[in-house]
Amino acid sequence: MNAKLQNLTPVIDPESEPDDDIPDLTTPYWAAKFAAARVQRGRPKSTAPKISTTLRLDPEVLEAFKSSGPGWQSRMNEALRKAAGL
């Protein structure tokens, strides 16, 4: 290690010290709260999830839907539902 770095004393910033009013999260009270907390990550599960599939389309059809901007997949899904009578 560099000799200059070894002789440096750490600077303690009083603003980075914890406040007295912050609760001790290691107490049994907080341990129980954390254990009982429901953890939910990511997007909520859909009641009617979509199915991923591979579909071959004419380039012109795909370009027409894509050129209409964001949401083209939802619009394509709606057009297919309409064509299927759903």
mmCIF file of all heavy atoms in Angstrom, residues 76-86:
data_model
loop_
_atom_site.group_PDB
_atom_site.id
_atom_site.type_symbol
_atom_site.label_atom_id
_atom_site.label_comp_id
_atom_site.label_asym_id
_atom_site.label_seq_id
_atom_site.Cartn_x
_atom_site.Cartn_y
_atom_site.Cartn_z
ATOM 1 N N MET A 76 -52.426 -5.474 -31.393
ATOM 2 C CA MET A 76 -52.435 -6.699 -32.197
ATOM 3 C C MET A 76 -53.247 -7.777 -31.480
ATOM 4 O O MET A 76 -54.033 -8.496 -32.102
ATOM 5 C CB MET A 76 -51.013 -7.191 -32.460
ATOM 6 C CG MET A 76 -50.961 -8.431 -33.350
ATOM 7 S SD MET A 76 -49.287 -8.975 -33.681
ATOM 8 C CE MET A 76 -48.808 -7.793 -34.925
ATOM 9 N N ASN A 77 -53.093 -7.882 -30.170
ATOM 10 C CA ASN A 77 -53.857 -8.852 -29.389
ATOM 11 C C ASN A 77 -55.351 -8.565 -29.509
ATOM 12 O O ASN A 77 -56.156 -9.485 -29.701
ATOM 13 C CB ASN A 77 -53.416 -8.811 -27.923
ATOM 14 C CG ASN A 77 -54.079 -9.886 -27.104
ATOM 15 O OD1 ASN A 77 -53.928 -11.062 -27.381
ATOM 16 N ND2 ASN A 77 -54.821 -9.475 -26.091
ATOM 17 N N GLU A 78 -55.723 -7.302 -29.425
ATOM 18 C CA GLU A 78 -57.145 -6.926 -29.541
ATOM 19 C C GLU A 78 -57.683 -7.252 -30.938
ATOM 20 O O GLU A 78 -58.811 -7.741 -31.079
ATOM 21 C CB GLU A 78 -57.328 -5.442 -29.220
ATOM 22 C CG GLU A 78 -58.764 -5.004 -29.122
ATOM 23 C CD GLU A 78 -59.555 -5.788 -28.082
ATOM 24 O OE1 GLU A 78 -59.004 -6.106 -27.017
ATOM 25 O OE2 GLU A 78 -60.737 -6.095 -28.351
ATOM 26 N N ALA A 79 -56.876 -7.005 -31.988
ATOM 27 C CA ALA A 79 -57.313 -7.327 -33.355
ATOM 28 C C ALA A 79 -57.484 -8.841 -33.529
ATOM 29 O O ALA A 79 -58.455 -9.291 -34.167
ATOM 30 C CB ALA A 79 -56.297 -6.805 -34.370
ATOM 31 N N LEU A 80 -56.611 -9.625 -32.933
ATOM 32 C CA LEU A 80 -56.729 -11.080 -33.020
ATOM 33 C C LEU A 80 -57.938 -11.578 -32.229
ATOM 34 O O LEU A 80 -58.643 -12.489 -32.674
ATOM 35 C CB LEU A 80 -55.450 -11.747 -32.514
ATOM 36 C CG LEU A 80 -54.241 -11.605 -33.415
ATOM 37 C CD1 LEU A 80 -52.971 -12.056 -32.697
ATOM 38 C CD2 LEU A 80 -54.439 -12.386 -34.706
ATOM 39 N N ARG A 81 -58.198 -10.965 -31.079
ATOM 40 C CA ARG A 81 -59.391 -11.343 -30.292
ATOM 41 C C ARG A 81 -60.663 -11.045 -31.085
ATOM 42 O O ARG A 81 -61.589 -11.845 -31.120
ATOM 43 C CB ARG A 81 -59.424 -10.588 -28.967
ATOM 44 C CG ARG A 81 -58.382 -11.054 -27.971
ATOM 45 C CD ARG A 81 -58.472 -10.271 -26.661
ATOM 46 N NE ARG A 81 -59.757 -10.464 -25.997
ATOM 47 C CZ ARG A 81 -60.056 -11.491 -25.213
ATOM 48 N NH1 ARG A 81 -59.166 -12.433 -24.986
ATOM 49 N NH2 ARG A 81 -61.247 -11.580 -24.664
ATOM 50 N N LYS A 82 -60.680 -9.888 -31.747
ATOM 51 C CA LYS A 82 -61.846 -9.502 -32.554
ATOM 52 C C LYS A 82 -62.028 -10.467 -33.722
ATOM 53 O O LYS A 82 -63.150 -10.914 -34.008
ATOM 54 C CB LYS A 82 -61.661 -8.072 -33.067
ATOM 55 C CG LYS A 82 -62.871 -7.485 -33.719
ATOM 56 C CD LYS A 82 -62.623 -6.029 -34.066
ATOM 57 C CE LYS A 82 -63.822 -5.423 -34.746
ATOM 58 N NZ LYS A 82 -63.588 -4.005 -35.096
ATOM 59 N N ALA A 83 -60.926 -10.828 -34.382
ATOM 60 C CA ALA A 83 -60.991 -11.759 -35.511
ATOM 61 C C ALA A 83 -61.450 -13.156 -35.066
ATOM 62 O O ALA A 83 -62.123 -13.853 -35.806
ATOM 63 C CB ALA A 83 -59.642 -11.851 -36.211
ATOM 64 N N ALA A 84 -61.110 -13.521 -33.827
ATOM 65 C CA ALA A 84 -61.505 -14.830 -33.299
ATOM 66 C C ALA A 84 -62.898 -14.803 -32.706
ATOM 67 O O ALA A 84 -63.416 -15.839 -32.294
ATOM 68 C CB ALA A 84 -60.493 -15.274 -32.236
ATOM 69 N N GLY A 85 -63.501 -13.621 -32.641
ATOM 70 C CA GLY A 85 -64.858 -13.499 -32.102
ATOM 71 C C GLY A 85 -64.886 -13.533 -30.582
ATOM 72 O O GLY A 85 -65.894 -13.953 -30.001
ATOM 73 N N LEU A 86 -63.826 -13.094 -29.959
ATOM 74 C CA LEU A 86 -63.764 -13.090 -28.478
ATOM 75 C C LEU A 86 -64.058 -11.712 -27.899
ATOM 76 O O LEU A 86 -63.839 -10.722 -28.449
ATOM 77 C CB LEU A 86 -62.370 -13.558 -28.013
ATOM 78 C CG LEU A 86 -61.974 -14.945 -28.497
ATOM 79 C CD1 LEU A 86 -60.537 -15.235 -28.085
ATOM 80 C CD2 LEU A 86 -62.898 -16.002 -27.922
#
